[in-house]
Amino acid sequence: MILLRRLQAAPATLPALLAVALFVVGASQGAGYASTLWYPAALGILAMLAVAAAVLRPRLAPVPRTVLIAGGFLLAYTAWSFLSIAWADSKGDAWDGANRTLLYLLIFVLFALWAQRGETAAAVLGLWTLGIVLLAAYTVIAVGSAADPQHYFLGNRLRFPADYPNGAAATFLMAAWPALLLAARREVPWWLRGAFAGGTVLLADAALLAQSRGGVFSVPIVLILFFVITPQRPRSFAVLVPIGVAVAVTAPTMLDIANRIKVDRLAPHAVDQPVLLAAALVALVVTAGALLESRMSPSEGVKRIGYRAVGALGIAAVVLVAVVGLAVIGNPVARADHEWKSFKAGYPATKPGASRLTQGLGSNRYDFYRVAAGSFSRHPLVGIGADNFGQDYLRRGRSDETPRYPHSLELRTLAQTGVVGALLLVGWLAAALFGALRAVRRGGLAGAVAAGATVTFLYWLVHGSFDWFWEIAGLGGPAVAMLGLA
């Protein structure tokens, strides 16, 4: 009855939950990259939006101005993407790119147009997060028990479920932030907080198997944003401590397994037990703490002392990490110069058993970015047309790869839709993030959910700044949905 009353108070929750189920299924099917997957999904989202509009009859007056402005900018960017078909060399590719942008517009409207209550928004965010946690658990168990674990890997990097290692890492890491936040919130049932905490361990360890350098660089940036944005930071840090210990203990095993799989197909058979054990222990610790917290009500003085103690511990941890980091990387200027040279030099010679994470930044992305920047310089105002980078790279690329996308959201936008498209997309991002941060400041469970959903989007945005995540609908769709929810 309570659930029914909450759904009646926020009826748009039901189509949002159906969309979340679609996102989880899509994540398990190659991250929904194939057009045979995301086109039917787009029709499903369109049907949900049409039914919601017919039943709920949206009125624009109650909709926050930031939502209307953000939606207007994204609508204009979608129209501009369709208009770019006119000057694109490959009109079929431009049509696909514009349709994908339309899908993101439909998702944003579905999640942003109707207001949610704190409890219903938490249900939407929490069920998507738990769905990805279950996918991470399945991944760890499947890799550890499969007769041929190599099926889940590309070389020595996990490619499941996205069929692309960086996409696999992002699938799990996007969900890690709301899992961490919900594990720390007192409003979440005590028995569920432990599940979110243990799930964060599963998500982090599954991501490690992908050996994503983009993930390694994105996590520290987003971790800072997480603690800047989220309310009640000491609570989140207190939960992060056992999670961090568990990931630190299991990380060497995960990386070693990934490094050995090319020479030892049975290596992953040692992966599931330590990870599941670590996740279970963290879940028990956090569940016990949450249960104890639910049974007692400390005074304000005790709370203040606890918050100060945790805050001091957090500052000490940051200082320690900074000192260790400087000790590892050595002279920051010299290290930056070395990494820049390795980034420009292309793929390094691989050493058997060596970790991809320790072999510098070498890849062909520098050449991708060079060609994308050249496309923008030749067509600065309107770009070369949505999803038309592949044609330019075939003409001007120097590597033996044939990328279809620039591997950067910013360069994709500039090269393919020009300054006009970039201004429209920045307008959407600015208005939507401004509205999301205003929602965070409201506090309570609603503010916490807005924070968790915002950080989910920010992870996608940061990692997607040097990868082709806009083109992977199974990543872009949930990210846009979470921004709309916030």
Side-chain angles (χ1 to χ4, degrees), residues 447-462:
V449 171
T454 301
V455 178
T456 299
F457 175 81
L458 288 175
Y459 179 85
W460 173 84
L461 181 64
V462 171

Side-chain angles (χ1 to χ4, degrees), residues 261-286:
I261 188 172
K262 293 182 82 171
V263 295
D264 180 8
R265 287 180 175 269
L266 296 180
H269 286 176
V271 71
D272 51 347
Q273 292 183 2
V275 174
L276 294 175
L277 178 60
L281 289 174
V282 169
L284 286 173
V285 169
V286 174

Side-chain angles (χ1 to χ4, degrees), residues 461-483:
L461 181 64
V462 171
H463 196 163
S465 294
F466 35 90
D467 223 315
W468 50 286
F469 289 171
W470 178 273
E471 292 81 8
I472 303 177
L475 296 176
V480 171
M482 293 305 114
L483 182 60

Side-chain angles (χ1 to χ4, degrees), residues 292-303:
L292 181 63
E293 186 181 31
S294 68
R295 299 290 176 86
M296 58 183 294
S297 181
S299 65
E300 290 300 320
V302 172
K303 287 182 181 179

Side-chain angles (χ1 to χ4, degrees), residues 225-305:
L225 294 173
F226 177 86
F227 280 105
V228 168
I229 292 172
T230 57
Q232 299 186 3
R233 300 174 188 86
R235 298 181 66 88
S236 295
F237 182 79
V239 173
L240 182 60
V241 170
I243 292 172
V245 170
V247 174
V249 169
T250 53
T253 299
M254 308 301 286
L255 296 176
D256 181 61
I257 286 170
N259 295 335
R260 288 193 292 119
I261 188 172
K262 293 182 82 171
V263 295
D264 180 8
R265 287 180 175 269
L266 296 180
H269 286 176
V271 71
D272 51 347
Q273 292 183 2
V275 174
L276 294 175
L277 178 60
L281 289 174
V282 169
L284 286 173
V285 169
V286 174
T287 299
L291 178 60
L292 181 63
E293 186 181 31
S294 68
R295 299 290 176 86
M296 58 183 294
S297 181
S299 65
E300 290 300 320
V302 172
K303 287 182 181 179
R304 282 195 298 270
I305 293 173

